[in-house]
Amino acid sequence: MMPRWRWLCLATLLVAAEAHIKQDEDSEAVLDDTEDFREEPKTFLQVEYKTPVATGDVFFTETFDDGTLNGWVLSKTVKEDSDGEIAKYDGKWDVEELKENKVSGDMGLVLKSSARHHAISAKLKKPFIFDKPLIVQYEVNFQDGIDCGGAYIKLLSESNQLNLEEFHDRTPYTIMFGPDKCGEDHKVHFIFRHKNPVIGDYDEKHAKRPEVDLKKYFTDKKTHLYTLIVKPDNTYEILIDQTVVGQGSLTEDVIPPLNPPKEIDDPKDKKPKEWDERAKIPEPNAVKPDDWDEGGPEEVEDLNAVKPEGWLDNEPHFILDINAKKPSDWNAEMDGEWEPSYISNPKCETAPGCGVWKRPMIKNPDYKGKWKPPLIENPNYQGIWKPRKIKNPHYFEDLNPFKMTPFGAVGLELWSMTSDIYFDNFIICSDKEVADRWASDSWGLKKLVASANEPSMLNQLLTAAEERPWLWVLYILTAALPVGLLVLFCWPRKKVEESEEDFDFKLSDLCDESNLELQSNAKEVSEAGKESGNEENEKSEDEDDEEEASLEEEEGAEENQSLSDDEIKESDESTGSGEEVKQSLRKRRVRKD
């Protein structure tokens, strides 16, 4: 009767086979529906969208849910330091839904042109004055990825001269914040313009770059939430999807440093002519050796080189293309006489080389080059000269850089090589809870829909295999490994166990035969001992029965030992001792257990 564990292995194999067949059927169905799924993405989760309403004190909000650009002003100026048509801010803007993972009723601002300058801006409800925390938050989605371009915003400085129709790259701003990418450089800007209180000029201070990898935020085509928090204690935080990716101090973690140095180099100080900065000099007493040969080539032919077999000396590297045809629009007067082009000689592709063979060049072992005296330490070395330090006439120490220039408008002034960049749900406020509730009612719904519409694991595997066909080999090996292990550890054990049972049976029979033979030998020895004891009794009649019995037992034991040893040796030579057989059987049972 088949043991239980064998039935278990058989059942496991049947279940695995059935699951494999079912998986193949599902894979075929998914493959049939893949094109339809890709052509027209479906939204599997339906949510009820309501335009978010900010609670508390806010300075600016925008959702674009009305489908218009009311309140926004397109720039009509041109970009400075640019020529011709490219200088115009003629990039197109529109209000649309997301391409993927759309939420019904939710609209956003979309940059529609590529390789164009774009500029659009809107006024705040009231200017922001830096007497309370600043929170700037908005959403970005690179719907078609991004090659080179930005999605940052500028908080335009408040002034009487601020004209949104004249908004361009040189318009004064207080803060610039948002993602930017060109090539493989992925970053999130936080730049603020700081006023020098001594001379009145403005310098751009760049926050140190986040140490996290930002690439996925530019490539996954999902809507991401960008948040900047600037606090009155002169600290800042940069968040993406409500996770801190960068933070620091306005006084210490900016480039260039906020406050200038107390001392600077004296611009009037000049290095003396006799100042010697040479750490080492040529040894003045050194003499060129008499056997030093400055002549000779640096490289010579390798005399040990041998021309490879099959070298085609008479074949050129390039030949005329006999299949080339003169273009129909070729004008001999304008283009000259037409000649077919040259192509690589196909005979040279299979040969080690073509043309006249020449020995390769190697470095000349006898070449020493121009002689130069060795260098020694300069006894007159004075070190690297540095100008003396003087007090910085423009020195200042700003202990509260948070007090920045008030701003009264928000603008996007961008150049991008990729179109369809999506912006949505702008908010500028001072309360973090207000910004979080705003994000929950807007970006939170987009995140929920995007998570529900994520493709299944099977679809992801199929998509990856379409891009990298070699993954099919890995999939097959992964699927076959459990089946192979089940077959390896389940089925072969039947023969092994039968052979072990047969072996146990043969060893037990052998042990029984050895024990019977040992017992028979012991009986023969005991009988021989009794006969010798009787002969001894006849010679010594004076001894009593007890002494005769003891003598018979001692002599019989000695003879029994000698005879049994010989018999046992003979038995060991033929079949092995019974004790060894028992030990071997005992070891095999332990191994089996």
Side-chain angles (χ1 to χ4, degrees), residues 49-81:
Y49 174 77
K50 294 181 180 180
T51 300
V53 178
T55 59
D57 187 20
V58 295
F59 294 84
F60 180 80
T61 58
E62 182 58 80
T63 63
F64 303 102
D65 289 341
D66 59 357
T68 67
L69 290 173
N70 291 339
W72 291 83
V73 180
L74 294 172
S75 177
K76 298 179 181 179
T77 187
V78 295
K79 183 178 177 68
E80 295 185 9
D81 300 333

Side-chain angles (χ1 to χ4, degrees), residues 105-252:
D106 183 27
M107 310 287 282
L109 177 67
V110 181
L111 182 148
K112 298 297 295 181
S113 307
S114 61
R116 295 286 181 182
H117 290 290
H118 304 73
I120 192 172
S121 55
K123 282 277 190 178
L124 271 61
K125 296 179 180 180
K126 55 183 178 180
F128 184 91
I129 300 175
F130 286 86
D131 55 2
K132 59 182 72 66
L134 169 65
I135 300 175
V136 181
Q137 183 171 278
Y138 69 106
E139 302 170 12
V140 176
N141 188 323
F142 298 103
Q143 300 184 94
D144 295 334
I146 183 71
D147 293 327
C148 184
Y152 44 81
I153 64 174
K154 292 182 177 180
L155 305 181
L156 305 181
S157 301
E158 176 67 13
S159 69
N160 296 329
Q161 292 77 29
L162 180 60
N163 183 0
L164 299 185
E165 291 185 351
E166 299 295 326
F167 174 40
H168 56 87
D169 59 322
R170 300 296 178 88
T171 301
Y173 68 88
T174 301
I175 288 177
M176 189 175 89
F177 168 68
D180 187 21
K181 184 248 183 183
C182 198
E184 292 300 318
D185 187 14
H186 306 81
K187 52 190 174 184
V188 176
H189 287 298
F190 169 40
I191 306 172
F192 66 93
R193 296 175 73 242
H194 180 257
K195 184 178 181 180
N196 187 320
V198 177
I199 60 178
D201 290 343
Y202 283 88
D203 294 326
E204 290 185 350
K205 307 298 182 181
H206 296 247
K208 292 184 179 179
R209 299 183 59 170
E211 297 181 356
V212 300
D213 186 8
L214 303 175
K215 183 177 181 179
K216 67 177 182 178
Y217 302 111
F218 295 82
T219 58
D220 60 5
K221 299 181 181 181
K222 294 181 180 180
T223 303
H224 295 288
L225 184 70
Y226 293 85
T227 307
L228 170 66
I229 302 175
V230 185
K231 303 177 183 179
D233 63 355
N234 299 311
T235 61
Y236 68 88
E237 289 182 351
I238 300 173
L239 298 89
I240 302 180
D241 298 342
Q242 297 181 326
T243 300
V244 176
V245 298
Q247 57 186 345
S249 170
L250 297 176
T251 58
E252 298 177 359

